[in-house]
């Protein structure tokens, strides 16, 4: 079910962006807050947003929890926080210097381990959110049964033939279907299937093995849409089936992929089957830099759709450990891909247009919300990983910069001087602002 009426409405796009950002910021700042509390550091303020306060309350520990008018971030102000100390705060800080117990409850007076743990907790909580979301989705959706089993047939222009829910697929056109866990063998088997509208399936049904007709295993079906893609702009919808390209009939998703990749960016005229009706659309593929398993990138033409099986595969629930392991693996893939992408952008191997700013992220938020709650929650988890990773960069003003200062203190036995901190923080803020402006420029000027 879509969370917003349609993609493209400015108000809905902004609302989806604010919701996604607020969840991520709340988790990040709560990580700082709760680990700081566990470490004996008092928090004066926990704020979602900046600027004028819309709502606030004090808890029994004396922390003010507030929601501010500008919902594009948030912060935790700890007692004695040097970044916020001025005027009354500086006076209050001076008053606790001679009180060891009160000084210990400040960020400035806490042991090095407590300060480092408190700062590191924000990004760690972002990663934890991502892992839990990915694991929850895996637990909710389940994993495909092995052997591959038909769950529910999708709506296709080609009849399902004799395939039924519960059929275990043993072979197709006389070739034994490999286990879905044997990734390479499974892909090779699918690649060798003929691009015919109807194939012969040998299935196990009620302890009998029978042969039935069924559609091509991976038809040119739109099972997912990428935000800001040519397909989105052309008005394509999830569930569409492409039946022809430039008037030539196709029956396999790979036929569509070959036509897009081999067209060198030329406009394609697609004939689409949608709920029993035929729709014609024209779209122009975009050049996309795609991460590869070896850590590199490959530039391809894409229209921004993901395919799927001709049927919903039957699933079974994985164990909690398996789901959490899958969540960790997915989070690591995002981290690895992000670092690889950044490195390739710095060296010029791929376009810097791959870096999105607030406008691009807002548009993606709206697009994912329009595709349903699960897609939107998945996007929040992906964005949470990106925010956690960004905050670990060793740039002053970010969490990673503070951790570098603490590492220096651990090695040298003393923190950097106030003058050095001021210079480095100014440099860090300038770096972050420059990066934000560069990403915003990408949103505006990149195709």
């Amino acid at each position: 079910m879509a969370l917003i009426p349609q993609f493209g409405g400015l108000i809905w796009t902004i609302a989806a962006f604010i919701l996604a950002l607020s969840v991520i910021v709340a988790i990040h700042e709560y990580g700082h807050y709760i680990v700081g509390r566990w470490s004996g550091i008092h928090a004066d303020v926990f704020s979602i947003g900046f600027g004028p306060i819309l709502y606030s309350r004090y808890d029994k520990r004396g922390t003010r929890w507030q929601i501010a008018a500008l919902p594009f971030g948030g912060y935790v102000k700890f007692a004695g926080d040097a970044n916020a100390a001025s005027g009354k705060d500086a006076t209050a800080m001076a008053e606790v210097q001679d009180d060891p117990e009160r000084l210990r409850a400040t960020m400035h007076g806490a042991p090095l381990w407590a300060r480092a743990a408190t700062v590191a907790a924000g990004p760690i909580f972002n990663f934890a959110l991502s892992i839990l979301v990915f694991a929850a989705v895996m637990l909710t959706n389940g994993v495909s049964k092995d052997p591959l089993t038909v769950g529910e047939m999708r709506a296709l222009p080609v009849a399902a033939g004799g395939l039924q829910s519960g059929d275990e697929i043993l072979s197709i056109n006389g070739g034994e279907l490999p286990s879905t866990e044997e990734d390479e063998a499974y892909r090779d088997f699918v690649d060798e299937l003929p691009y015919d509208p109807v194939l012969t399936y040998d299935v196990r049904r009620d302890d009998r093995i029978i042969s039935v007709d069924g559609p091509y295993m991976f038809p040119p079906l739109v099972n997912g849409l990428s935000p800001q893609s040519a397909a989105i702009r052309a008005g394509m919808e999830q569930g569409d089936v492409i039946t022809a390209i430039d008037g030539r009939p196709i029956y396999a998703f790979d036929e569509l992929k070959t036509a897009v990749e081999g067209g060198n960016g030329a406009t394609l005229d697609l004939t689409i089957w949608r709920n029993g009706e035929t729709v014609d659309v024209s779209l122009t593929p975009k050049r996309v830099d795609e991460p590869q398993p070896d850590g590199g990138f490959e530039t391809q033409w894409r229209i921004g759709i993901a395919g799927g099986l001709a049927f919903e595969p039957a699933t079974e629930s994985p164990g909690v450990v398996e789901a959490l392991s899958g969540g960790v693996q997915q989070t690591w893939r995002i981290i690895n891909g992000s670092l690889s992408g950044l490195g390739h952008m710095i060296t010029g191997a791929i376009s810097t247009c791959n870096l999105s700013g607030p406008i691009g992220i807002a548009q993606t938020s709206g697009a994912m919300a329009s595709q349903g709650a699960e897609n939107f929650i998945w996007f929040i988890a992906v964005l949470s990983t990106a925010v956690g990773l960004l905050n670990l960069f060793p740039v002053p003003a970010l969490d990673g910069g503070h951790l570098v200062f603490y590492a220096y203190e651990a090695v040298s036995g003393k923190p950097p001087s106030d003058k050095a901190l001021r210079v480095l923080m100014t440099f860090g803020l300038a770096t972050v602002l420059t990066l934000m402006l560069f990403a915003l420029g990408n949103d505006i000027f990149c195709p």
Side-chain angles (χ1 to χ4, degrees):
M1 181 180 67
L3 295 181
I4 63 177
Q6 61 179 9
F7 172 59
L10 178 61
I11 293 177
W12 294 111
T13 295
I14 293 175
F17 175 55
I18 290 174
L19 177 59
L21 188 62
S22 296
V23 170
I24 292 166
V25 167
I27 292 296
H28 180 95
E29 298 303 334
Y30 188 76
H32 289 314
Y33 162 78
I34 194 64
V35 173
R37 198 181 90 186
W38 291 340
S39 302
I41 304 173
H42 175 71
D44 291 332
V45 180
F46 185 106
S47 180
I48 299 298
F50 300 98
I53 300 171
L54 302 178
Y55 169 82
S56 70
R57 71 171 182 84
Y58 283 89
D59 65 15
K60 62 183 181 181
R61 296 180 178 83
T63 300
R64 185 173 78 235
W65 297 76
Q66 65 184 39
I67 298 175
L70 302 177
F72 301 108
Y75 63 91
V76 177
K77 179 187 176 297
F78 290 103
D81 191 336
N83 294 333
S86 62
K88 250 200 301 192
D89 292 326
T91 302
M93 190 64 207
E95 292 176 355
V96 304
Q97 292 294 330
D98 297 326
D99 186 335
E101 185 175 342
R102 293 178 63 192
L103 183 62
R104 171 60 182 81
T106 67
M107 179 63 88
H108 176 74
L112 180 59
W113 68 264
R115 285 177 278 147
T118 300
V119 168
I124 290 173
F125 268 54
N126 281 134
F127 298 145
L129 171 64
S130 301
I131 292 168
L132 291 175
V133 168
F134 294 141
V137 170
M138 191 172 176
L139 284 169
T140 302
N141 292 342
V143 295
S144 296
K145 286 185 176 180
D146 194 27
L148 184 63
T149 303
V150 177
E152 182 179 344
M153 295 302 300
R154 301 185 194 273
L156 298 171
V158 176
L163 279 179
Q164 296 181 9
S165 176
D167 286 348
E168 293 182 4
I169 300 175
L170 305 178
S171 66
I172 303 176
N173 275 18
E176 183 180 351
L177 180 67
S179 167
T180 54
E181 295 179 358
E182 302 173 38
D183 289 340
E184 188 171 347
Y186 181 77
R187 287 196 300 268
D188 289 344
F189 176 86
V190 173
D191 289 343
E192 292 173 2
L193 291 174
Y195 296 152
D196 294 334
V198 177
L199 303 177
T200 301
Y201 290 76
D202 291 329
V203 302
R204 179 181 288 112
R205 180 187 300 168
D206 300 328
D207 296 326
R208 295 182 300 122
I209 297 178
I210 61 175
S211 294
V212 297
D213 289 338
Y216 183 81
M217 196 173 178
F218 284 91
L221 166 74
V222 179
N223 198 37
L225 290 159
S226 299
Q228 305 179 61
S229 63
I232 283 278
R233 292 172 181 172
M236 294 182 69
E237 300 176 4
Q238 197 162 341
D240 286 351
V241 180
I242 296 92
T243 58
I245 302 174
D246 296 331
R248 178 178 61 85
I250 64 170
Y251 305 104
F253 190 87
D254 277 351
E255 291 181 281
L256 172 65
K257 183 179 177 183
T258 299
V260 172
E261 292 179 349
N264 201 31
T267 298
L268 299 172
D269 295 321
L270 305 182
T271 302
I272 292 173
W273 183 89
R274 179 183 295 165
N275 298 324
E277 298 182 356
T278 299
V279 179
D280 294 321
V281 302
S282 295
L283 48 72
T284 303
K286 295 173 58 178
R287 290 190 73 91
V288 177
D289 296 310
E290 297 182 334
Q292 301 299 303
D294 62 1
F297 278 77
E298 182 176 88
T299 302
Q300 285 287 3
W301 294 100
R302 292 287 183 257
I303 60 174
I305 67 173
L309 287 163
F311 51 85
E312 290 278 1
T315 61
E316 56 189 1
S317 180
V320 174
V321 173
E322 182 183 354
L324 287 173
S325 175
V328 171
Q329 292 173 21
Q330 179 64 34
T331 302
W332 174 246
R333 279 194 291 270
I334 296 169
I335 293 172
N336 189 51
S338 298
L339 292 174
S340 177
L342 181 61
H344 281 75
M345 279 187 276
I346 291 173
T347 60
I350 63 174
S351 171
T352 55
C353 285
N354 287 281
L355 183 65
S356 294
I359 295 176
I361 296 172
Q363 290 175 334
T364 303
S365 300
M368 299 307 285
S370 70
Q371 293 183 39
E374 183 178 313
N375 286 336
F376 183 60
I377 293 170
W378 184 275
F379 169 72
I380 289 177
V382 172
L383 189 57
S384 182
T385 299
V387 168
L389 177 61
L390 175 64
N391 271 278
L392 284 179
F393 286 176
V395 177
L398 298 179
D399 294 333
H402 287 287
L403 292 175
V404 171
F405 295 154
Y406 295 151
Y408 172 84
E409 183 177 345
V411 172
S412 67
K414 60 180 181 180
S417 67
D418 289 342
K419 181 178 180 180
L421 281 175
R422 283 194 296 271
V423 171
L424 290 170
M425 290 299 291
T426 300
F427 169 78
L429 287 170
T431 300
V432 172
L433 181 59
T434 300
L435 183 62
M436 290 177 61
L437 290 174
F438 181 79
L440 181 61
N442 280 353
D443 291 341
I444 297 171
F445 299 110
C446 285

